[in-house]
Amino acid sequence: MRADVVIVGGGPAGCFVGGSLAKRGFDVVVVEEHGEVGNPACCAGIVGVGGFEELGIKPGSWVLGKLRRAVIYPPSNEPIELTREKVEAFVINRAEFDRVLAREAASAGATLLLKNRCVDVKIGRDSIVKIRGTHTGEINARLVIGADGPSSIVARKAGLLKSERYLKCAQVEVIAEARADAAEVYLGRSFAPGFFGWLVQAGDVCRVGLGTTEGNPLQMLRFFLEKHLVISKKVEKVRTLEICTGLIPEPFSRKPYTNRVLLVGDAAAHVKPLTGGGIYIGLSCAKFAAEVATRGLEAEPDEKTLRIYDQMVKEKFGREFELGVRARRVFEMMSDEDLNTTLGILKKDSVKKLVLENFDFDHHGSLIRALAAELPGLLQELGVKRVMKYVRGLLSVK
Ligand SMILES: Cc1cc2nc3c(=O)[nH]c(=O)nc-3n(C[C@H](O)[C@H](O)[C@H](O)COP(=O)(O)OP(=O)(O)OC[C@H]3O[C@@H](n4cnc5c(N)ncnc54)[C@H](O)[C@@H]3O)c2cc1C
């Protein structure tokens, strides 16, 4: 089999870039190991309204809910509510959303090979993608795009997988007491060290999940559901069928291109540093990937041409992600006591106002910069010794 481009992975990033390239007239093959696009999908499904607008994606029947507020539970469990009383984000049915993108790619002319796993990739002038499944064999292509998620085989084979640091996540669908328009965020080292837990209503059920930098996420999720003072009271019934685990890559830890190879989505580690969200960022960067792939395929998809992809990504998100990665590193080091102190500042009306004025669901840079103005007061409350710990952490970020 031969194609201009083989895309490994039929998730949102793969289908999106596949559709864009097929629309431009290229011969595109998307290889997906599962029998159905979007199944399984381990995702809370929260995506900013602005992000979809920017991408030109009109909300469809895959929208399960509309979020107007965030309720943050610090380790003290004294909730802090933040709202501008407008819809900030959608909760989506990931399976259905992914299928819409897959159908668009197919109707633009891309070939979707479901139930076929990519087992090897050899990069060269005429790259070879080896697949096993209903079409066991080899596909030759001028360009290979890795859209195969966090532990991407394409990234590995192309020598682009340098960091194996992941956030481990687990999520379950439950019947729970929740406000339909609120995303709840739970912070605390004993439940979700280095990250956070969440509860959000998605249609008839609620998704409860967490991410952690330590331990077994499934065991931690069980502990969260049973022992967390707030969550254990809210959750009525666990629909165990819908338990899933997933990885979130270390944000922006990978070079997303090399000679005749591009990475998109989680395979490229294009995820938001503070929340791990990758749908908007993945698709936004996949747009650049399609543009640069087109230039490459019209001439030679060599490293020099494909490098522009990374430049475009950095131009749009670079500064914001640098800030986000630093903020995340500091957050990962925080004790529960420091989290309580730090989040306590959100109770001040002036700080709340600052947050609401600068909050953007998809871009966190301006919020981080605005909050930096509150640092002197916070440093005083945290004390010099504790602050030095975080300064050292900040300096350790490369
Ligand atoms: C628990 C959890 C909650 C999340 N919640 C949110 C959220 O609320 N909002 C948000 O924006 N993001 C969220 N994310 C992140 C989001 O799910 C990802 O950023 C998004 O799925 C990335 O899309 P993708 O297309 O790059 O990769 P994926 O969705 O991972 O798709 C990759 C595809 O490649 C296929 N594949 C992998 N290897 C091979 C192979 N060798 N051969 C063939 N096919 C292969 C897989 O089957 C899969 O279909 C969450 C992640 C987790 C783990």
Side-chain angles (χ1 to χ4, degrees):
M1 210 173 175
R2 173 166 293 283
D4 291 323
V5 192
V6 172
I7 298 169
V8 179
C15 291
F16 189 79
V17 78
S20 309
L21 289 171
K23 273 179 207 152
R24 290 165 155 111
F26 294 108
D27 192 6
V28 177
V29 174
V30 180
V31 177
E32 167 56 48
E33 62 184 336
H34 292 107
E36 199 181 16
V37 166
N39 188 15
C42 193
C43 186
I46 304 173
V47 189
V49 170
F52 278 135
E53 270 167 21
E54 184 198 308
L55 292 163
I57 298 176
K58 292 207 173 64
S61 58
W62 37 266
V63 173
L64 298 173
K66 295 177 178 176
L67 300 177
R68 287 187 171 80
R69 65 198 75 244
V71 184
I72 302 170
Y73 286 87
S76 65
N77 286 328
E78 289 163 29
I80 302 159
E81 183 171 321
L82 297 168
T83 182
R84 290 188 287 210
E85 297 298 346
K86 66 175 178 113
V87 178
E88 307 273 359
F90 295 125
V91 183
I92 67 169
N93 177 336
R94 259 298 298 272
E96 213 184 308
F97 175 71
D98 287 17
R99 276 178 219 138
V100 167
L101 294 180
R103 276 196 290 272
E104 276 175 20
S107 54
T111 304
L112 259 76
L113 295 183
L114 299 177
K115 272 197 186 164
N116 286 280
R117 182 175 175 76
C118 166
V119 289
D120 199 8
V121 182
K122 289 206 166 57
I123 307 299
R125 185 164 283 273
D126 202 19
S127 293
I128 301 169
V129 176
K130 274 194 179 175
I131 58 172
R132 202 169 287 154
T134 56
H135 287 72
T136 296
E138 295 181 350
I139 314 174
N140 294 75
R142 293 178 61 216
L143 177 68
V144 178
I145 300 186
D148 45 347
S151 39
S152 162
I153 187 173
V154 177
R156 200 177 299 274
K157 295 288 177 182
L160 298 171
L161 195 69
K162 295 281 191 288
S163 159
E164 292 271 14
R165 194 169 181 258
Y166 299 103
L167 200 72
K168 292 172 279 180
C169 303
Q171 183 179 267
V172 65
E173 288 195 357
V174 296
I175 306 297
E177 177 202 315
R179 284 174 77 168
D181 69 348
E184 297 184 5
V185 176
Y186 294 82
L187 300 161
R189 291 205 70 85
S190 47
F191 296 96
F195 206 56
F196 56 84
W198 60 85
L199 170 99
V200 68
Q201 191 163 325
D204 300 336
V205 294
C206 289
R207 294 174 182 154
V208 179
L210 56 78
T212 172
T213 49
E214 298 162 23
N216 176 325
L218 274 176
Q219 278 172 9
M220 306 205 51
L221 179 60
R222 200 164 300 131
F223 187 63
F224 183 50
L225 289 162
E226 287 169 8
K227 303 285 182 213
H228 192 282
L229 287 178
V230 179
I231 280 286
S232 61
K233 289 195 182 75
K234 289 192 172 195
V235 173
E236 289 162 24
K237 200 170 136 201
V238 176
R239 265 182 37 180
T240 43
L241 266 182
E242 303 296 333
I243 281 188
C244 66
T245 56
L247 297 173
I248 293 180
E250 175 82 350
F252 284 69
S253 56
R254 296 177 194 169
K255 183 180 148 195
Y257 70 95
T258 186
N259 197 26
R260 293 163 199 285
V261 176
L262 288 174
L263 302 177
V264 292
D266 278 18
H270 288 161
V271 298
K272 291 184 208 167
L274 293 184
T275 62
I279 299 172
Y280 157 70
I281 299 291
L283 298 189
S284 187
C285 297
K287 248 183 158 174
F288 294 143
E291 216 176 298
V292 174
T294 304
R295 289 190 217 175
L297 289 164
E298 280 166 356
E300 272 302 294
D302 54 14
E303 179 143 13
K304 194 168 155 246
T305 312
L306 301 184
R307 180 186 303 151
I308 299 161
Y309 168 44
D310 198 31
Q311 288 167 359
M312 290 165 99
V313 168
K314 284 189 174 137
E315 203 167 300
K316 179 157 186 185
F317 295 109
R319 182 72 191 122
E320 172 179 343
F321 282 113
E322 233 172 75
L323 282 171
V325 166
R326 283 177 197 278
R328 162 98 165 258
R329 199 51 50 83
V330 169
F331 168 76
E332 281 176 6
M333 290 189 298
M334 281 189 158
S335 63
D336 281 0
E337 195 189 340
D338 290 355
L339 280 171
N340 283 333
T341 309
T342 307
L343 288 162
I345 66 165
L346 286 177
K347 287 186 186 140
K348 283 193 205 164
D349 286 341
S350 61
V351 180
K352 217 176 211 183
K353 189 165 167 268
L354 194 77
V355 169
L356 294 174
E357 276 169 7
N358 289 281
F359 178 77
D360 179 324
F361 195 90
D362 295 304
H363 302 275
H364 302 156
S366 56
L367 178 60
I368 298 172
R369 271 189 292 271
L371 283 174
E374 288 298 312
L375 272 180
L378 181 63
L379 297 186
Q380 232 173 20
E381 284 186 50
L382 286 173
V384 175
K385 209 166 145 200
R386 285 194 274 169
V387 168
M388 283 317 291
K389 182 175 81 179
Y390 300 127
V391 170
R392 278 194 292 275
L394 268 178
L395 293 176
S396 73
V397 180
K398 285 182 213 112

